[in-house]
Amino acid sequence: MTSGYVLRSLLMLFLALFSANASNWLYLAKLSSVGSISDEETCEKLRGLIQRQVQICKRNVEVMEAVRRGAQLAIDECQYQFRNRRWNCSTLDTVPVFGKVITQGTREAAFVYAISAASVAFAVTRACSSGELEKCGCDRNVHGTSPEGFQWSGCSDNIAYGVAFSQSFVDVRERSKGQLSNRALMNLHNNEAGRKAILGHMRVECKCHGVSGSCEVKTCWKAMPPFRKVGNVIKEKFDGATEVEQRKVGTTKVLVPRNSQFKPHTDEDLVYLDPSPDFCEHDPRTPGMLGTVGRYCNKTSKAIDGCELMCCGRGFHTEEVEVVDRCSCKFHWCCYVKCKQCRKMVEMHTCR
Ligand SMILES: *[C@@H]1O[C@H](CO)[C@@H](O)[C@H](O)[C@H]1NC(C)=O
Ligand SMILES: *[C@@H]1O[C@H](CO)[C@@H](O)[C@H](O)[C@H]1NC(C)=O
């Protein structure tokens, strides 16, 4: 019995070490906020970083607070985009934060990698623009007069810096293992696709100057899209993700669509290697696999948020709950709106 126990422990240790989960750094989101990564020494103590990330941390201590915010942004956006899905991106207080749910090379893993790589690029770029970092500021390469006749001025987001930082900090986990595995190829592709979701949606924002807003002079700058937009783009890529397999071209490994009828994926698309589990049942052996018992569902929807699919055919409970709403709003001269509070009963459905 004792030796069985020892063997089991060794096996667990082995699994812990080699179920390498490159998104472990997302655990930074669990740190309590501002100033939590204040000096080089802190870098050593951070959970979820590999040695090379610790080195990057030490060389860029001032950037790490932005990385922490990026991790939080990634988790929040994942929970928003997946709020109506069976796996809703819930986190645990462990490393990795998603438990074992994304250890396999599934579509969900593809989404998590893309959104995380994007969120670091985004948060670091934001920090550059806001002037909180010494290493970077606004993008000064954007200057002069545009063909449309406006003046480039103001603070253009330095997306090149944020993207480069994300490439070194997030991608280092895949590159530190010598020969690239299929999974590393998948992760690297999706990390890059995530960053492209920002790069491909940069916008021009402008301000008018002149007498009473006459716009005699217009100054403009380049700005990142809101992160919600980035999340929407990556979620769309998730919905249309391509299942791939590894092929050798000469001596290099590449990922190609498993179904040769499909057109090849682009740099912006997400790719995955393994089919997803159904996420229906709670599985104690897979931390983070919570199942859908108790989840809200929509009785009239035929999509994944509908009770049929969300509850995996187990059926659902219905209860009447009272909700308070604003109603019969009246505009009063001048200038406010006064509403009544109305109570109404609505049906709520939860999965059995
Ligand atoms: C996700 O679903 C679980 C049950 O599967 C629930 O306990 C949790 O509150 C949900 N989380 C979010 C962020 O909606
Ligand atoms: C439920 O689904 C239907 C059909 O998709 C939709 O019109 C409705 O707004 C949904 N209800 C809620 C409460 O989300």
Side-chain angles (χ1 to χ4, degrees):
M1 188 197 129
T2 332
S3 71
Y5 176 76
V6 171
L7 270 180
R8 234 177 82 85
S9 306
L10 278 174
L11 183 66
M12 295 302 278
L13 181 66
F14 181 82
L15 285 175
L17 286 174
F18 292 97
S19 61
N21 200 315
S23 62
N24 283 355
W25 62 270
L26 283 176
Y27 188 78
L28 290 180
K30 301 276 173 185
L31 293 178
S32 57
S33 69
V34 194
S36 41
I37 310 169
S38 49
D39 51 28
E40 292 189 17
E41 231 170 278
T42 333
C43 296
E44 304 262 9
K45 301 192 195 116
L46 295 174
R47 286 184 67 192
L49 302 193
I50 60 166
Q51 201 48 43
R52 285 179 58 187
Q53 284 174 320
V54 172
Q55 286 161 9
I56 297 176
C57 175
K58 286 181 171 175
R59 273 184 271 118
N60 300 274
V61 174
E62 63 157 15
V63 187
M64 293 308 290
E65 180 54 28
V67 177
R68 189 195 65 76
R69 284 199 298 265
Q72 187 62 57
L73 198 58
I75 292 171
D76 290 347
E77 190 58 27
C78 186
Q79 292 185 344
Y80 172 79
Q81 296 291 345
F82 281 49
R83 68 198 179 287
N84 291 328
R85 297 187 62 85
R86 286 179 186 161
W87 182 63
N88 63 4
C89 233
S90 38
T91 61
L92 311 170
D93 280 324
T94 58
V95 172
V97 289
F98 295 120
K100 290 222 166 143
V101 170
I102 57 161
T103 345
Q104 298 244 293
T106 58
R107 216 184 251 271
E108 285 75 17
F111 180 89
V112 167
Y113 280 76
I115 201 80
S116 317
S119 72
V120 168
F122 188 91
V124 170
T125 303
R126 238 321 119 70
C128 294
S129 301
S130 73
E132 76 182 69
L133 304 180
E134 263 170 32
K135 288 200 165 133
C136 63
C138 309
D139 188 351
R140 296 288 166 211
N141 290 321
V142 184
H143 58 79
T145 309
S146 81
E148 295 85 3
F150 60 72
Q151 195 71 33
W152 285 116
S153 140
C155 181
S156 284
D157 279 330
N158 198 342
I159 185 65
Y161 188 90
V163 161
F165 189 88
S166 168
Q167 281 168 336
S168 69
F169 183 81
V170 180
D171 293 6
V172 70
R173 308 210 51 136
E174 315 300 336
R175 300 196 188 281
S176 57
K177 293 177 226 151
Q179 173 76 271
L180 290 179
S181 65
N182 293 352
R183 185 56 199 281
L185 283 175
M186 168 185 151
N187 294 346
L188 285 171
H189 176 95
N190 293 324
N191 288 350
E192 200 57 33
R195 290 182 289 256
K196 290 245 158 65
I198 307 178
L199 285 166
H201 295 86
M202 294 295 287
R203 43 178 81 178
V204 177
E205 289 181 356
C206 298
K207 201 163 151 182
C208 283
H209 308 268
V211 218
S212 57
S214 63
C215 222
E216 267 158 55
V217 183
K218 199 158 92 167
T219 57
C220 303
W221 59 94
K222 290 209 168 128
M224 294 186 292
F227 200 67
R228 176 56 34 86
K229 167 79 183 171
V230 177
N232 291 344
V233 170
I234 298 176
K235 173 61 168 33
E236 255 170 53
K237 299 296 182 187
F238 166 87
D239 291 331
T242 310
E243 185 174 8
V244 292
E245 62 190 4
Q246 186 242 105
R247 182 97 31 94
K248 271 223 164 101
V249 175
T251 52
T252 42
K253 286 202 224 165
V254 290
L255 298 175
V256 296
R258 179 164 290 217
N259 184 338
S260 55
Q261 310 276 294
F262 289 176
K263 74 175 166 44
H265 53 272
T266 68
D267 290 350
E268 285 94 43
D269 294 325
L270 297 192
V271 301
Y272 65 98
L273 293 160
D274 305 314
S276 298
D278 61 21
F279 298 109
C280 281
E281 307 295 332
H282 171 69
D283 178 4
R285 286 164 309 169
T286 310
M289 188 68 84
L290 301 176
T292 65
V293 174
R295 288 286 302 276
Y296 285 118
C297 61
N298 181 333
K299 198 176 163 184
T300 50
S301 168
K302 293 272 168 271
I304 191 70
D305 64 334
C307 292
E308 197 54 43
L309 287 177
M310 178 63 81
C311 309
C312 308
R314 295 184 307 260
F316 54 91
H317 301 284
T318 300
E319 61 178 338
E320 292 235 310
V321 292
E322 191 181 70
V323 295
V324 180
D325 233 352
R326 280 151 46 102
C327 62
S328 357
C329 296
K330 278 211 183 81
F331 179 75
H332 289 261
W333 189 262
C334 180
C335 290
Y336 64 97
V337 176
K338 207 170 176 185
C339 299
K340 282 190 185 144
Q341 287 200 333
C342 300
R343 295 164 189 283
K344 61 173 180 185
M345 301 302 285
V346 293
E347 286 193 332
M348 295 284 258
H349 312 287
T350 48
C351 293
R352 282 178 193 278

